[in-house]
Amino acid sequence: DVVMTQSPLSLPVTLGQPASISCRSSQSLVHSDGNTYLNWFQQRPGQSPRRLIYKVSNRDSGVPDRFSGSGSGTDFTLKISRVEAEDVGVYYCMQTTHWPPWTFGQGTKVEIK
Amino acid sequence: EVQLVESGGGLVQPGGSLRLSCSASGFTFSIYWMHWVRQAPGKGLVWVSHIKNDGSSITYADSVKGRFTISRDNAKNTLYLQMNSLRAEDTAVYYCVRGTFDIWGQGTMVTVSS
């Protein structure tokens, strides 16, 4: 199974400042079709998860452009250019390259300082 | 509007059974793979099971294999999860999720306790 490891697990941020979350996989997420199937999800308090980013760097419809994804192979990053109050929640990375099982990171809790 | 609505959760004793349902609307259900993902209270997301669009391929997490059964009725736009031999560690919110994990339901809570 592919193990996804996120850091940090807790991220206090100041409003308007940038934030960055790292995600590492235990093996390369490059699929035989050439794509890298790494997703990022946001889960606000009391809500269902919402996909923000797919295939490393593609934003879903309606996702603000302050969110960006990057990386390759086994190392990936989610960046928030300027944190807003509505960004509070838990962020998960997830790989859909090697399955089953589909695997998530442990989650990173973003809170406002 | 694209929507997934789960139902069927509740309180059940250890060793008991529950059947979850997920009603899909706003998209062509029959062409999508579907998943169940669960989240124990205060914990992270864990994939549980998947079913291919036509039901021809099914997989399970090791933790539920042999106890849970995923199925679908494309004529009714509905996904199911039959859960047997339930354990305390199955206590979680269960989410119905569309194939590429782009659409999630609101979740249904399953509590296994005596």
Side-chain angles (χ1 to χ4, degrees), chain A residues 39 41 43 47-49 51 60 92 94 96 99-102 104 106, chain B residues 33 35 37 39 43-45 47 50 59 95 100-102 104-106:
Chain A
N39 306 287
F41 297 87
Q43 188 174 30
Q47 295 188 12
S48 301
R51 196 179 71 179
D60 273 278
Y92 297 91
M94 180 206 188
T96 55
W99 54 267
W102 287 261
F104 294 88
Q106 319 97 298
Chain B
W33 292 20
H35 301 266
V37 173
Q39 185 171 37
K43 303 297 184 181
L45 302 169
W47 171 81
H50 114 280
T59 60
Y95 295 102
T100 54
F101 298 87
D102 60 336
W104 294 61
Q106 87 287 353

Side-chain angles (χ1 to χ4, degrees), chain A:
Chain A
D1 299 359
V2 178
V3 177
M4 306 296 290
T5 304
Q6 291 183 227
S7 63
L9 300 185
S10 179
L11 183 57
V13 296
T14 301
L15 288 174
Q17 293 301 302
S20 180
I21 300 170
S22 172
C23 175
R24 290 188 172 178
S25 57
S26 59
Q27 58 184 276
S28 173
L29 298 186
V30 180
H31 193 274
S32 56
D33 66 7
N35 290 307
T36 300
Y37 294 100
L38 185 282
N39 306 287
W40 288 97
F41 297 87
Q42 174 194 62
Q43 188 174 30
R44 291 171 171 154
Q47 295 188 12
S48 301
R50 165 200 183 194
R51 196 179 71 179
L52 298 176
I53 303 283
Y54 62 95
K55 286 195 285 186
V56 180
S57 60
N58 297 274
R59 271 191 305 275
D60 273 278
S61 175
V63 174
D65 60 7
R66 64 179 181 275
F67 290 94
S68 64
S70 63
S72 63
T74 61
D75 289 339
F76 304 93
T77 303
L78 175 70
K79 291 183 179 177
I80 310 174
S81 59
R82 296 172 305 281
V83 172
E84 298 189 6
E86 66 179 19
D87 300 335
V88 165
V90 182
Y91 292 78
Y92 297 91
C93 62
M94 180 206 188
Q95 68 84 23
T96 55
T97 296
H98 304 290
W99 54 267
W102 287 261
T103 49
F104 294 88
Q106 319 97 298
T108 295
K109 186 174 185 178
V110 172
E111 56 185 9
I112 305 300
K113 281 182 183 176

Side-chain angles (χ1 to χ4, degrees), chain B residues 1-5 23-32 76-77 98 102-103:
Chain B
E1 179 192 5
V2 175
Q3 199 171 10
L4 296 169
V5 178
S23 178
S25 59
F27 65 98
T28 305
F29 178 72
S30 62
I31 67 172
Y32 285 90
K76 294 183 178 179
N77 293 334
R98 195 168 75 170
D102 60 336
I103 302 296

Side-chain angles (χ1 to χ4, degrees), chain B residues 4-106:
Chain B
L4 296 169
V5 178
E6 302 93 336
S7 60
L11 174 63
V12 61
Q13 292 188 339
S17 299
L18 272 180
R19 188 198 198 198
L20 305 184
S21 299
C22 169
S23 178
S25 59
F27 65 98
T28 305
F29 178 72
S30 62
I31 67 172
Y32 285 90
W33 292 20
M34 295 295 296
H35 301 266
W36 288 98
V37 173
R38 70 184 181 185
Q39 185 171 37
K43 303 297 184 181
L45 302 169
V46 177
W47 171 81
V48 172
S49 181
H50 114 280
I51 184 168
K52 199 175 173 183
N53 59 306
D54 60 0
S56 62
S57 175
I58 286 173
T59 60
Y60 298 98
D62 287 345
S63 58
V64 307
K65 204 171 292 183
R67 300 187 298 123
F68 289 12
T69 303
I70 191 172
S71 62
R72 64 191 296 161
D73 185 335
N74 286 342
K76 294 183 178 179
N77 293 334
T78 303
L79 176 71
Y80 302 100
L81 186 67
Q82 177 67 43
M83 304 187 295
N84 298 332
S85 303
L86 282 161
R87 307 167 180 167
E89 54 264 36
D90 296 319
T91 294
V93 174
Y94 284 75
Y95 295 102
C96 167
V97 189
R98 195 168 75 170
T100 54
F101 298 87
D102 60 336
I103 302 296
W104 294 61
Q106 87 287 353

